[in-house]
Amino acid sequence: MPKKSAASAERFAGDLSKADVAELLGWVRGQLDQADPTARALEVFLGESAAVLNLSIELRDATRPQDGFTELAHLQAIRREWNQLVRVARPWRDRPGYDPTRWDAVQTNAYFARGNHESEQRAMQRLRAEQEAADLWSAAWRPVNARLVELGVGPAEPEDCPGMTAEELAQIGQLTLTQTEALLRCPAAAERSLEQRLAAWIGVNARLAELGLEPVEVIGAERDTLPDGARAQCAVLTLRQAVALRAAGPERGR
C-alpha cells in the first residue's frame, strides 16, 4: 500500500485547486466498472460532490482575506467535500497511479492557510476540538454511513454550525439528494433540473411526514446567492430522520 512520507507536509483547504479536484475525480472514475449499477450510482454522487467542491473553491478565491468568518465557512466546505472524495478513493489506494501525498485529507485551519497571526497553541486547541467533535459525529452516524457505503453513494458529512456543541452537531448531518434517495431505495436520476430536485425533496419530506417527523432543511431551496446548479443538491438531516428513512424505505404501493 502506498504510504505518505514522514516528511510530507500537512495540507489545508486553502491549498486545494480545481486541478486537484479534476485529477482525483478522473482517477477514481478510471477505477469504476461502468457495467456495475453501483458504479453508475457512485458516478452520480462523484459528479455532485465535485460540483459543490469546485463552487466552494471559487467562493474561497473570491473572498477578501480580511473577511475571516466567510473565509472559514468556505474552507470548511472545501474540507468536507474534498475529504469525502478522498474517502471514496481509498478502496483503490493499492492500484497504480494513486497519489497518497496529494490525495490525502486536509484540515480547515484558516490560520495556517493564509498566515494569520494566531498563536500555535490556540490553533492546536481548535484542531483538537474539531477532531473530538468529528470522532463523536462519526460514532453517532456510523450505522447510517455504513449503509450508505453499502449502497455505493458514499457517507454523509458533518454539518458546520457555529455555536453548536459537539453533542448537538453529532445529531445532524449533510446528505446529497442521491444519498437520501438511496436510503429510501429509490432509483437516482443522472441529471436533474432544479425543479426536479426540489420535487424530489418534496417527496422525501412527504415520506418523513408519514413517519411523524419534521421536514429536512434543503440547502438552497429558496433563491439565494447559490447558482441554480448548486441549489437543492444537499439537505441537512437529523440523525433521527436519517435512521427513520433507512428503516422505512419507500411507501408501499409506490
Side-chain angles (χ1 to χ4, degrees):
M1 179 190 352
K3 294 183 178 179
K4 292 187 292 182
S5 166
S8 63
E10 190 170 19
R11 300 188 73 199
F12 302 101
D15 301 326
L16 294 174
S17 67
K18 287 186 176 181
D20 292 314
V21 178
E23 289 179 16
L24 177 54
L25 183 63
W27 187 86
V28 172
R29 282 174 166 162
Q31 313 311 308
L32 301 179
D33 178 2
Q34 296 302 324
D36 184 350
T38 300
R40 292 197 294 271
L42 183 57
E43 178 81 15
V44 173
F45 160 74
L46 289 170
E48 292 177 348
S49 185
V52 174
L53 177 52
N54 282 327
L55 175 63
S56 297
I57 290 174
E58 290 176 6
L59 293 173
R60 177 205 65 193
D61 293 344
T63 302
R64 296 175 303 163
Q66 298 89 345
D67 191 351
F69 183 82
T70 302
E71 177 191 22
L72 180 59
H74 296 327
L75 291 171
Q76 288 172 331
I78 292 168
R79 179 206 66 197
R80 181 172 58 243
E81 296 299 329
W82 172 262
N83 290 353
Q84 183 166 258
L85 283 179
V86 167
R87 287 195 293 271
V88 171
R90 281 177 182 162
W92 298 288
R93 61 185 179 274
D94 292 325
R95 295 188 180 180
Y98 182 81
D99 190 334
T101 300
R102 294 184 58 219
W103 299 339
D104 194 16
V106 298
Q107 299 287 347
T108 300
N109 208 344
Y111 308 119
F112 284 96
R114 290 208 179 175
N116 293 342
H117 300 296
E118 294 288 341
S119 69
E120 183 177 356
Q121 181 179 9
R122 183 174 177 181
M124 292 307 298
Q125 288 174 343
R126 184 184 185 92
L127 288 176
R128 283 194 294 270
E130 284 187 357
Q131 187 59 56
E132 290 170 1
D135 291 343
L136 187 62
W137 186 91
S138 295
W141 282 78
R142 186 171 293 117
V144 171
N145 279 338
R147 180 58 179 153
L148 287 170
V149 171
E150 288 174 4
L151 294 167
V153 292
E157 282 292 316
E159 180 68 5
D160 290 311
C161 294
M164 294 184 70
T165 66
E167 290 74 16
E168 291 170 333
L169 287 171
Q171 297 304 309
I172 60 174
Q174 188 176 126
L175 279 76
T176 65
L177 179 56
T178 299
Q179 290 170 320
T180 306
E181 290 181 326
L183 287 178
L184 284 168
R185 295 178 286 286
C186 296
E191 296 290 339
R192 280 182 279 200
S193 65
L194 171 61
E195 290 72 20
Q196 290 171 324
R197 294 195 299 273
L198 290 171
W201 283 117
I202 290 173
V204 170
N205 282 334
R207 191 72 182 102
L208 285 169
E210 294 166 2
L211 298 170
L213 296 173
E214 295 293 320
V216 302
E217 177 189 341
V218 180
I219 298 174
E222 302 298 330
R223 182 168 295 279
D224 53 20
T225 57
L226 291 176
D228 284 357
R231 293 174 59 196
Q233 296 282 7
C234 304
V236 178
L237 277 72
T238 66
L239 181 57
R240 185 182 177 197
Q241 288 170 327
V243 170
L245 292 178
R246 171 174 171 258
E251 183 184 17
R252 292 180 181 177
R254 284 189 179 174

